[in-house]
Structure formats: C-alpha cells, structure tokens
Amino acid sequence: MTNPAGEELTTELARWGARIAQRSGAVAGERFEAMMRDTWCTTMSRNGDGVFVVTGDIPAMWLRDSSAQVLPFLRLQHVPQVAETLRGIVREQWRCIRIDPYTNAFNAGPTGAHFDESDGELDPNVWERKYEIDSLGFPVRLAHRIWRDSGDAAHLDDAVRRGCHAIVELWRREQRHFELSSYRHVRPAEPWDTLGEDGRGTPVAVTGMTWSGFRPSDDACRYGYNIPAQLMAVSALRCIAEFADHWDDAPLAAEARALAVEISDGVAAHGLIEGRYAYEVDGLGGVLWMDDANMPSLLSLPLTSDVAADDPVYLATRAWVLSDENPFFYRGKFAEGVGSPHTPEGYVWHIALAVQGLTGSESEGESCLATILATDAGTGLTHEGFDPDDPGLFTRPWFSWSNSMACELMMELVEPRG
C-alpha cells in the first residue's frame, strides 16, 4: 500500500459503509469501502512535504483529477490522517502551479517523463502541458473547501498566495490571448492534439472571458471559450478574493473580484443563448451545442461553480443535456447518460451518472447509483466510459476520479451536504 489507512480512518470508512448499506444496500456499502480504500491506499504517496496523487492507471498527477479524487474525503477532515493528507495534496498542487501554471499534469519530480515525447521542450517536471482553465480552478476551490469546512487556514500559505497572483495574472492575460499570450500547443505525433493557427488555437473575439486551449477531457477546444470552465473561473476568483481578504492583500482581492465580473458578463453576453448555456463559443458567432462527461461540464455546474441547482437557466440547460438533443447523450439496454468525444461513440461515463445523481432529485440519485453499481463489469470499480448495451466493454479499468464521484453520490444520499 502506498498510503495505508490508519485505524481511525478504517473505522470511519466502515461506519460510512454501514450507513450506506442501510440506505442503498449491502453492495453499495461494500463498494464504497473498497473504492475509498483504493483511492487512499493506491493513488497517494508522500513527495517531500506534499502528497502526490496519480489518476489511477496513468502515473502522473492531474491538478483537476487529484482535487476531484479527494472530494468524499472532505467530509472526513475530523480524522487527523485525512486532514494532514488533504493539506499535503494542497502543498503538492501549489508546488506544481509554481513550476508552470499552464500545465495540466505533472511528474512527482524532474523525471523527464512525458505523455508524448514529440511534445516540445517540456520542463522535466511536466507530464504534458495542455492549458485548461479547470486545472487552476480545481486547486483553488479545493483549498477553499478545506478552509470553509474545517475553519483552518494554515494551508493558505505564501505558496498559495503567490500562486493565486499567478492565476489572476494568467487569466487576465488570456482575455486577450492572440495579443498577449505566448502559449502554444503543437503535438506532431497527434495532429488532433495540436491547436489551430500553428498551436495558438482558433480565432476568438475579446469578450471579457478568458481563453482556454483544452477542455476538462484534455481534448482541444473547438472554440476558445469553454462555458463550464468560465463559470468555474468566476467561482475560483471569488475564492481567491476571500483568500486575499484573509491575507489583507487588497490589490489581489480587488483584481480577482473585477476579473470575475468581467468573465461573468462575457458569459452572459456570449454563452447564454435562448435561456440556456452553450458548451463553447468564440465570441465571433461560433457556438458548440453539446456537453461532455468530464467536469466541469454544463451538467456539473452546481458542483463546480456558483450556479445553483435550482437556477432556471441551469435547469433548462440540464434538461437539454439529458436529452437526445445533446449529441453526447447516449441510451442503451443497461444505461443512459452523458458520454464524451474523448471515448468511443456511444459510451456512457460513470462520472456523468454520478454528477447527474448529485445534481438531481433524491430518486434520480438513487436511480443513477443503481445504474453505476450494475455496470461495473464485475470489477467492483467504476470506469471511464462503458458501452450501455454491453458494460463489459469499457475504457480505463482503474480510474480513481470516477470511483470518488460514485462514493460522493453514496455519501450524499445518506447525508446531504445542504
């Protein structure tokens, strides 16, 4: 075991497993304990004073995934081992952000390992350098949740403060991507992962929103303004402003709040169309109507932004996402739900089923959990995408983010966060 669970954590997981078994059945309780222990014991390892978290079957740490993987553990901060580990993950994430805020996935040190050796001259700490807004938004929101839930701000140290300044500067710069940014992504071996315009991305207008090269799926954006990511950035900037108030850093607080307003206004002007949110826009008239299983998604907005689950625009958007009008909503004999262009056509994602359950009614949550439990292909774990007509066909046998989202749904059904 990379990170053995101590006695108190083991007891706490068993207590939750028993509550979940009473609420959702014995299989749910068993799966909860197994998946929580899998995430804790096999994906986390000490790295200096930090905690490095692999995604599962890929040996790198994604800033997004590592934040989502510990989501259910945020309820267990009263366990000292959990509190210490969460703060170690925060230290590791902000160490990575200091290295390069444009990077989405990192090595545990300067190993020189890369996803694709045809990438340009990357820092040896970098696994791959796909710039995604959510790669910065998730660590900000994780640090904020730890502070909010525990009342302890000790992890909001100078490294986080300097990182927050870097994030605000980057998001401000990327409001005028083609004028001010030097970011490029060219991958000769995989042209579909090379951004247009010689790695700069397809043209966008200046809208107040902040540009992104890639989606949360790590797929290239068709248009440079991904709306779920914009709304996550607005939320993260508000968190940064609260951090800045704590630090008595008035200039950072003012800049973060001002930028949040500009991005929010840009979304309202360009990303809100006919009463619902689009997935991507360019400010020049280009609009992409779809949703993707990866978070932040349109479906996940109440979980990844400040958009409320009962907001009328969200409800209209959600109804569209969970309909046949969404080109990545799929139906099969054993399941129906949101998939992704990142996986084979027709595959439904367990993450999206968990998100649907977490953003819907209690009965919808129960139904989504039943589907998740019934489509594990006998592995006892969730996966990335699976064939809803044959769940034995799936991608990624070990995908910790997906396991954690299923665990969070189980916990929410037992004890809603409110």
Side-chain angles (χ1 to χ4, degrees), residues 56-139:
D57 51 18
I58 301 176
M61 177 167 167
W62 264 257
L63 295 176
R64 169 189 59 247
D65 293 36
S66 60
S67 300
Q69 282 167 252
V70 299
L71 183 62
F73 290 98
L74 289 171
R75 298 173 184 255
L76 308 179
Q77 290 191 66
H78 58 281
V79 177
Q81 184 185 15
V82 174
E84 178 189 357
T85 299
L86 289 173
R87 284 151 182 80
I89 293 170
V90 168
R91 286 191 292 273
E92 186 71 7
Q93 289 180 333
W94 292 87
R95 179 191 73 83
C96 292
I97 291 170
R98 284 201 308 276
I99 291 169
D100 181 6
Y102 280 101
T103 289
N104 60 321
F106 293 84
N107 301 316
T111 65
H114 304 311
F115 174 82
D116 192 310
E117 295 303 325
S118 75
D119 284 355
E121 294 184 2
L122 296 181
D123 185 291
N125 291 281
V126 169
W127 174 256
E128 71 173 358
R129 191 174 188 255
K130 287 181 172 178
Y131 171 55
E132 304 159 353
I133 291 171
D134 65 272
S135 293
L136 300 172
F138 268 107

Side-chain angles (χ1 to χ4, degrees), residues 35-53:
M35 288 191 291
M36 290 287 279
R37 290 178 65 86
D38 182 77
T39 293
W40 187 266
C41 297
T42 67
T43 70
M44 304 178 190
S45 59
R46 288 288 169 184
N47 190 34
D49 68 346
V51 175
F52 190 81
V53 186

Side-chain angles (χ1 to χ4, degrees), residues 341-411:
H342 192 69
T343 47
E345 184 177 359
Y347 276 33
V348 170
W349 279 47
H350 282 127
I351 285 176
L353 287 169
V355 169
Q356 181 181 345
L358 286 162
T359 57
S361 65
E362 182 178 348
S363 62
E364 192 171 2
E366 293 170 347
S367 176
C368 288
L369 176 58
T371 299
I372 291 169
L373 296 175
T375 55
D376 71 322
T379 66
L381 300 171
T382 67
H383 304 117
E384 185 184 50
F386 67 93
D387 185 337
D389 285 316
D390 182 1
L393 300 175
F394 58 82
T395 59
R396 298 196 67 177
W398 181 26
F399 190 28
S400 180
W401 175 13
S402 180
N403 292 334
S404 291
M405 293 306 299
C407 290
E408 176 67 9
L409 174 58
M410 294 183 212
M411 296 174 93

Side-chain angles (χ1 to χ4, degrees), residues 227 266-278 281 289 313 317:
I227 298 304
V267 170
H270 300 276
L272 179 55
I273 303 170
E274 297 179 357
R276 64 177 187 267
Y277 293 115
V281 299
W289 289 109
V313 175
T317 304

Side-chain angles (χ1 to χ4, degrees), residues 75-316:
R75 298 173 184 255
L76 308 179
Q77 290 191 66
H78 58 281
V79 177
Q81 184 185 15
V82 174
E84 178 189 357
T85 299
L86 289 173
R87 284 151 182 80
I89 293 170
V90 168
R91 286 191 292 273
E92 186 71 7
Q93 289 180 333
W94 292 87
R95 179 191 73 83
C96 292
I97 291 170
R98 284 201 308 276
I99 291 169
D100 181 6
Y102 280 101
T103 289
N104 60 321
F106 293 84
N107 301 316
T111 65
H114 304 311
F115 174 82
D116 192 310
E117 295 303 325
S118 75
D119 284 355
E121 294 184 2
L122 296 181
D123 185 291
N125 291 281
V126 169
W127 174 256
E128 71 173 358
R129 191 174 188 255
K130 287 181 172 178
Y131 171 55
E132 304 159 353
I133 291 171
D134 65 272
S135 293
L136 300 172
F138 268 107
V140 170
R141 284 171 52 89
L142 175 62
H144 188 268
R145 278 285 298 277
I146 291 171
W147 179 30
R148 185 192 71 186
D149 291 356
S150 70
D152 177 14
H155 62 291
L156 300 179
D157 57 14
D158 191 59
V160 176
R161 180 176 177 176
R162 285 184 284 118
C164 286
H165 275 277
I167 290 170
V168 173
E169 290 169 6
L170 189 157
W171 284 348
R172 175 68 76 186
R173 181 186 317 122
E174 292 298 340
Q175 286 181 301
R176 309 183 76 88
H177 172 68
F178 283 91
E179 298 174 41
L180 302 178
S181 178
S182 62
Y183 177 80
R184 303 286 186 276
H185 194 276
V186 176
R187 181 169 283 172
E190 297 181 352
W192 55 89
D193 267 349
T194 294
L195 298 180
E197 302 287 322
D198 194 30
R200 300 178 71 199
T202 55
V204 293
V206 176
T207 63
M209 292 184 285
T210 185
W211 177 90
S212 183
F214 291 86
R215 300 170 182 163
S217 62
D218 301 330
D219 293 343
C221 292
R222 181 182 300 181
Y223 303 120
Y225 300 127
N226 179 275
I227 298 304
Q230 302 299 318
L231 291 167
M232 182 180 225
V234 170
S235 175
L237 286 163
R238 292 170 179 162
C239 294
I240 289 173
E242 291 184 33
F243 295 163
D245 289 340
H246 170 73
W247 295 320
D248 291 324
D249 189 338
L252 176 61
E255 180 69 358
R257 290 190 170 101
L259 183 54
V261 170
E262 291 175 30
I263 295 173
S264 181
D265 288 348
V267 170
H270 300 276
L272 179 55
I273 303 170
E274 297 179 357
R276 64 177 187 267
Y277 293 115
Y279 186 70
E280 285 175 5
V281 299
D282 59 10
L284 299 168
V287 179
L288 180 58
W289 289 109
M290 60 167 279
D291 199 19
D292 190 294
N294 293 271
M295 296 163 58
S297 59
L298 294 173
L299 186 62
S300 75
L301 287 177
L303 308 177
T304 57
S305 76
D306 295 339
V307 175
D310 60 355
D311 179 276
V313 175
Y314 171 70
L315 291 174

